[in-house]
Amino acid sequence: MKENEGWSAERLTPLLAGLLELLPWLKQWHNAPDPTFDTGMGDHFAGFIDEQLRELKMTEAKVRSWSPPQTARRRGGKRNMS
């Protein structure tokens, strides 16, 4: 998305946050060496994330602290359908 669509660091932050959240599971369950990448997928994505953080001049702590924006609450409460 960064290269093909020109997404900014701000727009890429949720994607990197999601990858960081999944990284422990990738390393635990899918880190057997892959012949295509000559490394485990967990290690591959850890390197990818590090590279992206460097290119975007962001820290892992900043990305981990990201949270989704609050959605607007609907006015009124639940309707009683009885």
Side-chain angles (χ1 to χ4, degrees):
M1 297 313 295
K2 180 177 70 177
E3 294 169 8
N4 294 334
E5 301 293 327
W7 282 17
S8 67
E10 182 179 301
R11 193 159 182 200
L12 289 166
T13 300
L15 296 174
L16 291 171
L19 285 174
L20 279 170
E21 192 171 317
L22 294 173
L23 194 56
W25 286 276
L26 279 172
K27 285 189 170 193
Q28 182 177 359
W29 299 106
H30 301 287
N31 214 28
D34 183 293
T36 305
F37 296 99
D38 198 33
T39 188
M41 292 286 55
D43 294 333
H44 173 76
F45 277 101
F48 172 78
I49 293 167
D50 289 342
E51 180 181 325
Q52 295 303 306
L53 293 174
R54 272 192 306 279
E55 288 179 15
L56 297 168
K57 295 178 176 46
M58 298 177 73
T59 65
E60 184 176 320
K62 180 179 178 181
V63 173
R64 286 191 184 277
S65 70
W66 177 85
S67 62
Q70 294 291 323
T71 58
R73 297 186 113 172
R74 289 180 36 192
R75 294 183 75 174
K78 291 184 179 179
R79 292 187 179 170
N80 188 354
M81 300 298 251
S82 47

